[in-house]
Every structure is written in C-alpha cells, then in structure tokens.
Amino acid sequence: QVQLVESGGGLVQAGGSLRLSCAASGSILSIRSMGWYRQAPGKQRDLVATIASAGSTNYADSVKGRFNISRDNAKNTVYLQMNSLKPEDTAVYYCNIIVITAESRSRYLERWGQGTLVTVSV
C-alpha cells in the first residue's frame, strides 16, 4: 500500500507564491516518477509537472518559468514551488506517483493524493 499526504495549498493573491509538498509512505520499493496535476472546476485534470527518479522534469507550458518541481528521494517527497501565481492557476492540485511496492510484484502502480486546493485571488 502507498499513502500520499499533500500539504501547502491555500489562498494567495495574484503574483504571490505557494509551496506544495507530497510525502509518500508505505511499502515502496522503487519510484519511477512523482508529479503534480491540477483540476479546475468544470475542467479535466491536467499535468502541471513531473519529475523522474533520475531527476528529469516535465512542465506544462502554462507554468514554465513560474513553477519548479523538486524531489527529496530520501524522504520520498516531491515539492512544487509556485511563483508569480495567476488566478487561472486556481485548482485542486493532486500529487501523483508511479511506484513499485512490495505487493505489486515488480509492476508499476499509479496512485493519487487526495488533492489540495489552491486559490489565487485577483
């Protein structure tokens, strides 16, 4: 089993910053990637940023240059530093992990966090 605990969401004014954290725990043997997705009201869930185990990153065009994803492998934790926030960044942000566990028998599993709300006011 894998548990994801997210923190760091909240209300911020446009132009401000927030830092999201997501800590993974459980019977984790190997993590292929961790990342963040977001879902605004009435819209689909979209990629924000991902980071692979070797450190390569991928960002949505809309956040490039403003957001930075990083990872602490020793703590199985992924961070999303969000700067220059805009009202259109308002969404529920979900942590995502692709992982092999003791129970998955070498198969990669995908798991999601419960989501944390980020609200950017004008």
Side-chain angles (χ1 to χ4, degrees), residues 19-120:
R19 188 190 194 212
L20 305 183
S21 299
C22 174
S25 62
S27 54
I28 295 170
L29 298 182
S30 175
I31 297 175
R32 189 171 83 178
S33 71
M34 298 184 77
W36 294 93
Y37 290 71
R38 67 186 180 187
Q39 188 167 18
K43 296 189 177 181
Q44 66 182 20
R45 188 175 299 186
D46 291 325
L47 167 76
V48 177
T50 60
I51 184 166
S53 58
S56 60
T57 58
N58 182 42
Y59 293 91
D61 288 342
S62 60
V63 307
K64 285 180 181 177
R66 300 188 297 122
F67 291 11
N68 183 68
I69 190 169
S70 60
R71 180 171 160 177
D72 185 333
N73 289 332
K75 296 181 179 179
N76 290 337
T77 298
V78 63
Y79 305 96
L80 185 68
Q81 178 66 43
M82 304 185 293
N83 300 322
S84 302
L85 282 160
K86 304 175 181 180
E88 51 263 45
D89 295 317
T90 295
V92 177
Y93 284 70
Y94 294 92
C95 179
N96 173 273
I97 188 172
I98 299 177
V99 61
I100 292 177
T101 68
E103 296 81 15
S104 71
R105 299 176 181 269
S106 299
R107 292 183 301 112
Y108 278 108
L109 304 176
E110 184 175 39
R111 294 291 181 261
W112 295 90
Q114 78 282 2
T116 185
L117 177 62
V118 172
T119 304
V120 184

